[in-house]
Amino acid sequence: MKTAPRVGVFGLLGSGNLGNDGSLEAVLGYLRAEHPEAAVDALCGGPEAVTARFGIPATRLHWYRGEYRTASRAGAIAGKGLGKLVDAFRTAAWVRRHDVVIVPGMGVLEATLPLRPWGLPYSLFLLCATGRLLGTRVALVSVGAAEIGERPTRALVRWSARLAAYRSYRDAQSRDAMRAMGVDTARDEVYPDLAFALPTPGANAPSEQALSSPGPVCVGVMDFHGGNDDRARAEEIHRRYLDGTIRFVRALADDGRPVRLLTGDDCDASVVAAILDAVDSPLVTAAEPSSLADLMKEMAAADTVVAIRYHNLICALKTGTPTLAVTYAAKSEALMDRMGLGAYCHPARELDADRLLRQFRELEKRSAELRRTLAERNLAAVRQLEFQFTELTAALFPATGHARTPARQEAP
């Protein structure tokens, strides 16, 4: 009698980031459709939330519950240090119970937002190293990567990728970054982000009224302070981004446009509050999305979307809504270029409300044309992900898959 495969999923899941949870949802959809016999559980940041929403058992990623709080006192520092040691044994014990562990998308190989080496990079290294030692196949599926300058983080990320049994990336820049950091990517493939595999709300065909009068605009916001290399000027970057966004939203409201503020992570709520406080208009309201599906419903009802978070952009593009990206990393520019909207990017670190408004108005003039382009690109993305899921089955579940050589596992 064949034993059901034991599959683990790993990452900062259930921790308030809608994009991460959307990537998990896409992988669970694949597993339930193609491998319904698989026993699935998670090692993640928010186990209670993952179990409640997705119905799978989940284990806390970190032994020390104060992991995400800044440690300033001796007791907290000691607790974090002890936690790192305990996590090595906990991770090994969890990995040993699985045949396969999937890291579903997410930017696990990048540091485009503030990141310390002893956080996720260390946890990912433990996963990949124990997977190699214990014979459990670890798959990094449609992940994001960026070249990292900080040496400890760079080393942990590089070795994590080298030790994984399967790697694919969500854009060519990610693969190029890992190659530049010393990973052999000759047999690694590039596929769209996993969120493109999620169901899409009904098509957003503009009504006759919408064609004659401008409709709502969704503005995705973020608690943005720059990345790892911007720590010295993080507050300056945040203030410029927030002030520019407030001016942009106020200008839209002054033009009579209903504006819907959207977030992608729990931490973005403070930015929404600041905008609502600064722009006193009944036309400006805030949504409270709890999933990428919620975001897509909001965006499908809009004429245009302006967004900064990567998965907010994906949701907008996936609904076929013309989108302007406020970008803080090359991944967003690559995404917009792939979807045919490469001309509509604006730098988050140098946000200029006047220039953003000009780009917004140019985008709206081409709305009908861009909707057709997005429909074509979305269809292609879905087909590419279907092919990747076939590849995954061959690489990770050879007893049920098709005859194809899986991605190479590098020697350490």
Side-chain angles (χ1 to χ4, degrees), residues 88-315:
F89 292 97
R90 292 176 70 251
T91 301
W94 183 80
V95 168
R96 185 189 295 274
R97 300 197 298 269
H98 298 85
D99 302 302
V100 172
V101 174
I102 296 175
V103 180
M106 305 177 288
V108 293
L109 302 178
E110 65 181 50
T112 52
L113 294 175
L115 182 70
R116 298 296 190 187
W118 54 83
L120 184 63
Y122 173 75
S123 299
L124 184 65
F125 171 74
L126 289 180
L127 173 78
C128 295
T130 54
R132 172 63 70 91
L133 288 171
L134 298 171
T136 299
R137 294 182 293 278
V138 175
L140 309 180
V141 181
S142 284
V143 297
E147 195 166 353
I148 298 169
E150 189 180 40
R151 291 180 66 182
T153 305
R154 181 186 178 97
L156 287 168
V157 164
R158 179 175 63 242
W159 278 104
S160 296
R162 285 177 170 175
L163 292 168
Y166 174 96
R167 295 182 299 267
S168 67
Y169 307 97
R170 62 190 180 191
D171 51 51
Q173 286 88 335
S174 293
R175 182 170 61 184
D176 293 346
M178 295 314 298
R179 184 185 300 122
M181 289 198 291
V183 177
D184 181 358
T185 62
R187 296 176 67 181
D188 297 355
E189 299 291 344
V190 173
Y191 296 102
D193 189 274
L194 289 169
F196 280 104
L198 295 173
T200 309
N204 178 28
S207 63
E208 291 185 11
Q209 181 182 0
L211 291 172
S212 61
S213 60
V217 180
C218 283
V219 177
V221 301
M222 180 179 180
D223 186 22
F224 179 65
H225 293 77
N228 255 8
D229 297 334
D230 300 316
R231 291 181 183 274
R233 49 190 291 261
E235 285 309 311
E236 173 195 341
I237 289 171
H238 178 67
R239 177 46 56 187
R240 178 165 185 169
Y241 163 74
L242 181 59
D243 288 348
T245 303
I246 288 171
R247 285 187 59 204
F248 176 72
V249 170
R250 183 181 289 122
L252 291 177
D254 289 346
D255 284 346
R257 300 295 293 270
V259 177
R260 192 75 162 152
L261 301 177
L262 303 175
T263 60
D265 194 292
D266 290 348
C267 67
D268 301 334
S270 61
V271 177
V272 170
I275 295 171
L276 291 175
D277 186 57
V279 184
D280 184 15
S281 169
L283 290 173
V284 182
T285 58
E288 296 183 359
S290 61
S291 67
L292 294 190
D294 290 345
L295 281 175
M296 284 190 275
K297 288 175 185 175
E298 294 281 352
M299 292 168 168
D303 275 9
T304 310
V305 174
V306 179
I308 177 170
R309 279 198 179 273
Y310 184 74
H311 281 95
N312 283 31
L313 290 174
I314 289 178
C315 287

Side-chain angles (χ1 to χ4, degrees), residues 338-357:
R338 187 187 317 122
M339 298 301 287
L341 279 79
Y344 300 102
C345 294
H346 189 99
R349 289 173 178 80
E350 300 168 6
L351 198 149
D352 182 316
D354 294 331
R355 186 158 69 89
L356 188 63
L357 272 169

